[in-house]
Amino acid sequence: MTIWNVAPVTEDPEIFLVSWKVMETKEGTRHFVGYNVSNKEGRVSSAIETFDKEHMTGITSSGRVYKLKGPSISNSDADYVWGRWRLINDIKEYKDVSDSI
């Protein structure tokens, strides 16, 4: 699989994720990890800044809006991208905090 840069927020301001998780790094940043249904790709967000549990919508440090659909479950594409993202960002310790959002 290949990893690529995403479109700027101005071109793609809203992402719908299914098969999503929220992962927290040792540094305390939280990231959406899931399957982007529009572009048919695994996705890892920048750090989550705000989250509205009622609407299952979050805004990340990039300013992008993520809307979560369905249950928090694994997706092989998203897990692959998360693994690559961790390597690129030298993240060795993390945990799944999906149940606590």
Side-chain angles (χ1 to χ4, degrees):
M1 282 189 192
T2 305
I3 300 292
W4 54 84
N5 290 326
V6 298
V9 174
T10 53
E11 291 177 25
D12 200 5
E14 191 172 82
I15 301 291
F16 291 88
L17 291 182
V18 297
S19 303
W20 57 271
K21 295 180 186 178
V22 175
M23 304 302 273
E24 183 177 276
T25 68
K26 179 181 176 184
E27 292 76 18
T29 61
R30 289 182 171 190
H31 303 267
F32 297 119
V33 177
Y35 189 75
N36 175 358
V37 294
S38 299
N39 293 343
K40 299 181 173 91
E41 64 185 2
R43 175 66 72 107
V44 174
S45 75
S46 57
I48 300 168
E49 296 290 327
T50 63
F51 186 72
D52 177 348
K53 187 169 184 157
E54 181 181 347
H55 295 101
M56 296 302 283
T57 300
I59 300 174
T60 64
S61 60
S62 70
R64 197 176 317 268
V65 175
Y66 283 82
K67 295 188 175 189
L68 309 180
K69 302 291 182 187
S72 172
I73 57 174
S74 291
N75 173 277
S76 60
D77 286 347
D79 291 344
Y80 175 81
V81 175
W82 172 244
R84 297 288 299 163
W85 184 91
R86 286 188 356 255
L87 285 173
I88 291 166
N89 292 283
D90 196 30
I91 302 297
K92 293 178 177 54
E93 295 183 45
Y94 61 92
K95 61 184 172 182
D96 184 340
V97 295
S98 304
D99 292 338
S100 67
I101 63 164

